[in-house]
Amino acid sequence: LALALVRSGITYGIGLLPLGRSALALLFALHLGLTALHAYATWVEPFRGSATSVEITSSKLRGRDPILVLHISDIHFEGWTPRDRWLLKKARELDPDLIALTGDYLNLSTVRDQASHEGIREILASLASVAPTYAVSGSMTVDPPDLVPDLFDGIPIRWLMDEAIDVQIGNHQISLVGVRCTRERRLDGPRLKQIMA
């Protein structure tokens, strides 16, 4: 609403200039387009979920049995929405062999909100009941290092904090590597190489 008011003020201010009707019509159309984009970004996109399927083949896997890994990222929980319910339903429908969570569990506005902590814990516990679940932290602004352990406490999710583990799935053994993200490539890259070694 604030952005719409600012755009309206700018439009009104420009409208006071001695412009022709065609310039005003173009400005009005631009304003309507920006308002529509803002409405979509605020009321539609955040509540939608989407799933993409990617098939990866590797000569390192034994046998022909596929492994279905469900990768979930950027939940940014602020409160229960249709998207969160869709996520849990989709996870159950897919029936994966393994779930990989790659961070950004909360949003900037909910990092210190206890009700949001309880909500994301409920989502995490529901996901862990679907398949063995492994997680890493995302951006430190929404996954503060002092908070993430509490989000996973008591939930059967393996939080990988700068470590590598071997996981058995059917007749396949795969290695999972989890590295905390500092957004400093000169630090994260060497640490990843060291852990993989």
Side-chain angles (χ1 to χ4, degrees):
L1 179 60
L3 289 174
L5 291 174
V6 167
R7 284 197 306 267
S8 296
I10 291 170
T11 301
Y12 179 77
I14 292 175
L16 294 176
L17 298 175
L19 301 174
R21 287 181 184 237
S22 58
L24 289 176
L26 181 61
L27 186 61
F28 182 72
L30 176 64
H31 175 69
L32 284 179
L34 289 172
T35 301
L37 180 64
H38 182 225
Y40 174 82
T42 304
W43 299 108
V44 177
E45 194 273 336
F47 303 106
R48 286 186 35 218
S50 64
T52 303
S53 177
V54 177
E55 186 174 323
I56 302 171
T57 58
S58 173
S59 60
K60 295 178 182 179
L61 293 176
R62 297 184 188 116
R64 297 176 187 241
D65 297 333
I67 298 172
L68 179 59
V69 177
L70 176 58
H71 170 227
I72 301 170
S73 188
D74 296 280
I75 297 173
H76 289 285
F77 187 83
E78 291 184 302
W80 284 97
T81 67
R83 184 190 62 159
D84 301 306
R85 291 180 191 86
W86 174 89
L87 170 65
L88 297 178
K89 181 180 177 215
K90 190 68 171 177
R92 288 188 293 271
E93 286 173 4
L94 290 172
D95 191 28
D97 297 305
L98 179 143
I99 297 176
L101 303 172
T102 52
D104 289 4
Y105 304 106
L106 296 168
N107 220 359
L108 284 174
S109 60
T110 60
V111 167
R112 301 295 172 193
D113 176 56
Q114 191 59 40
S116 293
H117 296 183
E118 292 167 13
I120 191 61
R121 284 180 50 78
E122 190 175 336
I123 289 174
L124 295 172
S126 295
L127 291 170
S129 72
V130 172
T133 304
Y134 301 85
V136 294
S137 301
S139 304
M140 288 191 294
T141 54
V142 292
D143 291 345
D146 65 312
L147 179 65
V148 174
D150 292 338
L151 295 180
F152 291 114
D153 187 41
I155 298 174
I157 291 178
R158 177 70 184 266
W159 180 32
L160 300 174
M161 180 68 161
D162 292 339
E163 63 181 309
I165 62 169
D166 291 328
V167 177
Q168 190 73 33
I169 300 175
N171 60 349
H172 301 293
Q173 182 171 338
I174 63 171
S175 295
L176 297 177
V177 178
V179 179
R180 74 192 130 100
C181 173
T182 65
R183 293 188 170 209
E184 294 283 340
R185 292 180 78 170
R186 61 183 177 77
L187 299 174
D188 292 346
R191 193 169 61 250
L192 173 61
K193 287 180 184 175
Q194 179 184 10
I195 293 165
M196 288 183 72

